[in-house]
Amino acid sequence: MPRFLMTLTSQENSSAAGPPPELFQAIGEIAEKWGKAGVLLDTGGLAPTSMSTRLRLSDGTITAADGPFTDTKEVTTAYAIIKATTQKDATDYATEFLNLHKKHWPGWDGGSEIRQIFGSDDAEA
């Protein structure tokens, strides 16, 4: 079954208070549901850009820049690796996840990108 990377993006520090506890509870419940169904393979939140380093290769030279990255409007804040039969099914899972944010964090503004992962696991029948 194909694997997909589902990322969550939003403006960094969009709320000083952070996500409400109800959202974390709902995310835990959906993670348990997807885990039991064999959909969820891995998930995690990402550190803010202030704790990050960006590398760039240009003209044969690698440079490093420590965050925060003020030139970035939205950043990836979390990810999940899921199994889904089709791109549409993966998109449906991402929509379900965004609906948790809509319900439990009114006013939150962000998005999700769903990209199929290619690799050795794709040879499985």
Side-chain angles (χ1 to χ4, degrees), residues 11-75:
Q11 287 187 350
E12 199 161 35
N13 301 320
S14 59
S15 171
E22 297 82 11
L23 177 61
F24 282 122
Q25 180 178 344
I27 289 171
E29 291 168 3
I30 203 169
E32 183 177 347
K33 177 180 124 181
W34 289 358
K36 286 180 180 176
V39 171
L40 186 61
L41 302 178
D42 191 25
T43 186
L46 300 177
T49 63
S50 62
M51 298 171 61
S52 304
T53 302
R54 182 181 288 166
L55 298 177
R56 175 126 182 107
L57 171 61
S58 181
D59 296 324
T61 302
I62 298 174
T63 56
D66 292 331
F69 310 120
T70 57
D71 60 328
T72 306
K73 193 170 191 177
E74 285 193 338
V75 298

Side-chain angles (χ1 to χ4, degrees), residues 7-12 14 73-77 94 97-99 101-102 105-113:
T7 60
L8 189 67
T9 58
S10 67
Q11 287 187 350
E12 199 161 35
S14 59
K73 193 170 191 177
E74 285 193 338
V75 298
T76 302
T77 58
F97 191 74
L98 284 179
N99 274 323
H101 288 72
K102 179 180 174 181
W105 198 356
W108 180 84
D109 197 19
S112 182
E113 183 175 330

Side-chain angles (χ1 to χ4, degrees), residues 4-5 16 30 64 71 75-76 89 96 104 108 115 124:
F4 295 85
L5 173 66
I30 203 169
D71 60 328
V75 298
T76 302
D89 289 342
E96 185 177 0
H104 298 289
W108 180 84
R115 298 179 68 179
E124 294 178 7

